[in-house]
Amino acid sequence: MKTALFVFLHWVLQCAVCRNVSVPPGTLYRVAGFPLSLPCAVSGFEGPRTQDFEWFLYRDDAGGRQMGVVSTRDKGFPYAPFQPRVKNGEVRVERDSGDKVRLVIQRLRAEDQGKYECYTPSTDSTYQGNYSASVPVKVIPDTLQVSYTRSLTGQPVPEGAELTLTCSGGIQSEQLTRLSITFGKRNNGEGLGAEGGGEVSNIREIISIDKLLGVVPGRMYKKRYGDGEITLEKRNKEGGLGEYVMKMRAVQPDDTGSYFCESTQWIRDPDRSWQKIAQRTLDIGNLTVQQLAESLSITSSPRGEVTLQVGAPLILTCEVLGLPAEVNSGLLVQWMRSVSSDGARSGGVEMEVARMSPDGVVSWGDNLSRASGGSMEKVAGGRYTLKLFSGQPLDSGVYRCVVSVYAGRANPDPSTPVTLTQRSEGVTVNLKSKDVLVAAVAQLLRGPLLKRGNTITLICNITVTTTGPAQAQVQWLRWPIPPRVIKREESPASAVTVPDPPVEEGPSLVAALMYDGVAKIYVNTSDVSIDRLSTGSYRLRVHSATMDDQGMYACHAQAWGQDPHGGWYNTGARAESNAVTVYMYSRAEDLLLIPLVVGVSSALFVGILIISTVTCCFMKRLAKQRTPK
């Protein structure tokens, strides 16, 4: 038993390191006229790492006779039928590594059908294992079909237009094979960096239906496919053919290029892997996308400068030119107005006056009250008007029409990117108003020292000088009284007193009386009222004032005029009054309360101290008397 066990283990160990040659399991089916690639690998060998390989063919029509195909060590190895094919490279051996190669037949012929044997000459010290492996190969006829319905003419297509490409394909094979269709584009010599770097390709795969009937977008078209911009549909036709329709909803300048349709036949080998056995590419034609920026222009009228009287209507027109008629595009039209901070009519901050969305909804920007005093309309294809029924001085500025185009998307989503945005030349609008002068003076009726709890009464006298009806709008503001801080800097000679610079705090809005008589209170900590005593006289009262209500008060006046239609407008004339300082001090009863509280507290403390001392002494004497002698 020991001897038998030893022999068995010795045999297993030898077989574990013996030579083994492997090829894919068969039978393999390949298509005539297309490449055949047969891998072969050797393992468990001795000798050099780079092994030689020889390929033989046993043709089905040769009665099992062996024919040399190609060898890695002997150029004279091929038999006569293969010698010219090996010489011109149609039949060759490609080495993947020292122990792995593949037999490549560039164009398979019907007579290439048979059993292929991969043989490795021995480099071992002993002859053990298998030195060859074979796989049957069946050559099936080429039945792959592909065609297109309409080719691209090369004429420029406007940006945003819809592109439809149709390709038909099919196979008539007795074997179970699958068909995939791919639409792609070549970039006319413009190279694209490959993902791995180094290699450059000018081919882009757009979208395909793969061998498992799944729709697969190309790497650079995944977002457009996810947004529904690119689709691929299969339709069944007569004769077993399928019709494949690719649609691009809105072409972009980057879509310029040469388009092709590629059909591929697939088969599943016995090792369960899918192999490409036939492929045809059909050029559909060239596409040139004309950029929208080359044709689009935005104009506004009237041009130059417009001067109107206050109350007159303002009408501005925006015209969009150069939009392709065959492209249904959505437009976002905005009217913008810019006025600089110093009142100049050019430059400065630009504000939106009104906009019309692609679905025709109008919204107002910087002045919501204009929604009832103006309109924005689409009067014709590409023509939009802005109307302000009664112009006001604040409407002066430089107006521009800004148009954002969603090429090929009539109803874009909020996340849809804008294709192009262009602006018109500026229209300067001047609205002349009557000369208005405003003056304001503030005064404190009682003060400036007031007791806490009293009422602070402030009067603002306003004078508006103009022709025609006018109203004043008043605001009361309060500043805190800046504290006087003294800082002492010690020096060896003497002490020098240097005042710190005052820390300025911003004003707080207390109350306002609008031009239409509406009062607005902005503080919640005090009881405040504001009213008009007479024409030009306005009163602010702070009831039951506290220490927080002291400070410096001033009134700001703004003049409003009336246009010929009876509407009120802000003339822009304003004035600021002088500052009035209000100090608050405590009442007499509050001052008497402090010594009263201190006195009561002191008396209680002294009384408790005396009672504690007497009680302690009495208890000690009582304890001594009870102690037995």
Side-chain angles (χ1 to χ4, degrees):
M1 288 295 293
K2 291 183 179 180
T3 303
L5 181 61
F6 175 76
V7 172
F8 176 74
L9 292 175
H10 180 68
W11 179 80
V12 171
L13 182 62
Q14 285 184 328
C15 288
V17 295
C18 64
R19 179 182 291 256
N20 180 54
V21 178
S22 61
V23 293
T27 301
L28 304 180
Y29 293 89
R30 297 296 184 263
V31 178
F34 292 93
L36 166 69
S37 178
L38 289 178
C40 179
V42 61
S43 61
F45 57 87
E46 298 178 3
R49 297 181 60 182
T50 300
Q51 295 286 296
D52 285 313
F53 294 82
E54 295 177 346
W55 286 90
F56 296 92
L57 170 61
Y58 299 87
R59 281 183 175 176
D60 291 348
D61 59 354
R65 184 168 56 90
Q66 184 187 63
M67 298 179 61
V69 179
V70 67
S71 171
T72 60
R73 64 173 182 173
D74 184 4
K75 293 184 178 180
F77 178 81
Y79 279 32
F82 288 99
Q83 284 180 0
R85 300 171 70 183
V86 172
K87 186 175 181 180
N88 63 24
E90 182 185 340
V91 178
R92 61 187 182 273
V93 175
E94 294 182 355
R95 187 179 291 276
D96 297 331
S97 63
D99 56 359
K100 292 180 182 179
V101 298
R102 59 182 62 245
L103 170 65
V104 176
I105 300 179
Q106 196 64 36
R107 294 180 59 86
L108 197 61
R109 303 176 182 177
E111 59 267 24
D112 294 333
Q113 178 172 295
K115 183 174 66 174
Y116 285 82
E117 180 185 20
C118 176
Y119 172 74
T120 59
S122 176
T123 59
D124 306 328
S125 58
T126 58
Y127 195 86
Q128 293 178 346
N130 68 307
Y131 286 76
S132 66
S134 59
V135 55
V137 175
K138 297 291 186 181
V139 180
I140 60 177
D142 176 18
T143 61
L144 180 61
Q145 302 179 44
V146 60
S147 62
Y148 59 81
T149 303
R150 183 175 64 87
S151 63
L152 296 172
T153 61
Q155 294 294 326
V157 175
E159 183 178 0
E162 182 177 275
L163 174 66
T164 301
L165 299 178
T166 302
C167 180
S168 299
I171 46 178
Q172 303 288 335
S173 176
E174 296 180 357
Q175 305 302 318
L176 182 58
T177 59
R178 297 282 182 87
L179 178 70
S180 67
I181 295 290
T182 299
F183 287 91
K185 176 177 72 74
R186 301 182 187 92
N187 286 327
N188 296 334
E190 178 187 349
L192 297 173
E195 285 184 274
E199 296 185 2
V200 176
S201 172
N202 68 337
I203 295 179
R204 291 183 182 178
E205 289 188 0
I206 301 172
I207 194 170
S208 63
I209 292 182
D210 64 9
K211 54 187 172 292
L212 301 178
L213 302 181
V215 178
V216 181
R219 179 176 59 89
M220 303 185 69
Y221 294 86
K222 288 182 179 179
K223 186 179 185 306
R224 293 174 68 181
Y225 172 75
D227 294 340
E229 299 289 327
I230 298 178
T231 60
L232 179 57
E233 178 187 0
K234 179 185 177 182
R235 304 169 183 171
N236 294 325
K237 292 180 62 178
E238 296 180 357
L241 294 179
E243 186 177 65
Y244 301 85
V245 181
M246 184 197 75
K247 289 185 178 181
M248 281 189 177
R249 183 178 174 186
V251 295
Q252 304 173 2
D254 192 46
D255 293 326
T256 297
S258 176
Y259 283 74
F260 63 86
C261 173
E262 185 176 80
S263 63
T264 306
Q265 186 178 2
W266 300 81
I267 194 169
R268 199 167 192 178
D269 281 350
D271 63 356
R272 313 298 294 173
S273 66
W274 286 97
Q275 299 295 326
K276 182 192 302 183
I277 59 175
Q279 187 176 70
R280 269 197 180 82
T281 302
L282 192 64
D283 289 332
I284 301 177
N286 294 323
L287 175 70
T288 302
V289 179
Q290 183 179 11
Q291 296 190 31
L292 186 60
E294 299 175 357
S295 60
L296 184 68
S297 64
I298 311 298
T299 61
S300 56
S301 60
R303 298 186 178 182
E305 188 169 350
V306 178
T307 302
L308 302 172
Q309 294 292 332
V310 172
L314 172 63
I315 301 177
L316 301 175
T317 302
C318 176
E319 189 168 3
V320 183
L321 303 173
L323 278 178
E326 63 271 28
V327 179
N328 191 11
S329 301
L331 300 182
L332 170 64
V333 182
Q334 298 169 280
W335 280 102
M336 311 296 291
R337 177 174 60 87
S338 60
V339 178
S340 62
S341 58
D342 58 359
R345 294 294 181 258
S346 61
V349 179
E350 192 172 53
M351 298 172 290
E352 184 183 60
V353 179
R355 67 163 58 193
M356 179 179 288
S357 62
D359 55 0
V361 177
V362 176
S363 57
W364 295 83
D366 63 327
N367 189 356
L368 295 178
S369 63
R370 274 301 184 190
S372 59
S375 67
M376 184 175 178
E377 301 174 355
K378 180 179 180 180
V379 295
R383 288 176 61 88
Y384 300 82
T385 60
L386 172 69
K387 295 181 181 179
L388 301 181
F389 303 144
S390 178
Q392 302 176 5
L394 292 180
D395 295 326
S396 298
V398 179
Y399 287 75
R400 287 181 175 85
C401 178
V402 180
V403 179
S404 299
V405 183
Y406 298 86
R409 304 168 182 88
N411 298 300
D413 296 328
S415 59
T416 302
V418 174
T419 304
L420 180 66
T421 298
Q422 281 197 4
R423 304 160 64 90
S424 70
E425 294 292 331
V427 179
T428 302
V429 176
N430 297 311
L431 283 155
K432 288 187 175 181
S433 61
K434 301 172 183 178
D435 294 335
V436 181
L437 298 177
V438 184
V441 177
Q443 62 180 9
L444 180 64
L445 290 185
R446 295 174 56 193
L449 295 176
L450 294 174
K451 296 179 182 180
R452 185 171 60 88
N454 287 358
T455 298
I456 302 174
T457 302
L458 296 163
I459 302 296
C460 183
N461 294 314
I462 299 173
T463 303
V464 179
T465 304
T466 184
T467 58
Q471 291 287 356
Q473 183 168 290
V474 184
Q475 289 182 330
W476 282 99
L477 296 94
R478 181 180 66 223
W479 287 262
I481 300 174
R484 300 182 62 184
V485 180
I486 304 299
K487 180 179 178 183
R488 295 184 178 274
E489 295 184 357
E490 300 294 337
S491 64
S494 60
V496 180
T497 302
V498 181
D500 282 348
V503 179
E504 296 184 1
E505 297 185 27
S508 58
L509 187 58
V510 178
L513 188 63
M514 313 306 288
Y515 71 93
D516 54 1
V518 177
K520 295 184 178 181
I521 308 300
Y522 297 98
V523 293
N524 298 323
T525 57
S526 304
D527 184 10
V528 177
S529 65
I530 185 172
D531 56 1
R532 184 170 66 176
L533 299 177
S534 61
T535 303
S537 181
Y538 298 84
R539 178 176 61 182
L540 173 70
R541 287 184 292 180
V542 182
H543 308 279
S544 301
T546 64
M547 298 300 293
D548 294 334
D549 295 321
Q550 72 175 1
M552 296 186 300
Y553 288 79
C555 64
H556 291 182
Q558 202 171 54
W560 285 66
Q562 192 174 34
D563 60 35
H565 304 285
W568 291 93
Y569 63 91
N570 188 350
T571 64
R574 61 186 63 203
E576 298 180 5
S577 74
N578 55 299
V580 177
T581 305
V582 176
Y583 296 97
M584 305 300 298
Y585 65 90
S586 301
R587 295 173 297 184
E589 52 268 29
D590 295 335
L591 298 176
L592 293 175
L593 184 61
I594 297 176
L596 179 61
V597 172
V598 174
V600 172
S601 301
S602 301
L604 287 174
F605 176 74
V606 173
I608 293 171
L609 181 62
I610 293 173
I611 293 172
S612 300
T613 304
V614 171
T615 303
C616 179
C617 294
F618 175 75
M619 294 303 292
K620 286 182 178 180
R621 178 172 295 181
L622 184 60
K624 288 181 180 180
Q625 291 177 359
R626 292 184 178 181
T627 301
K629 297 181 179 179

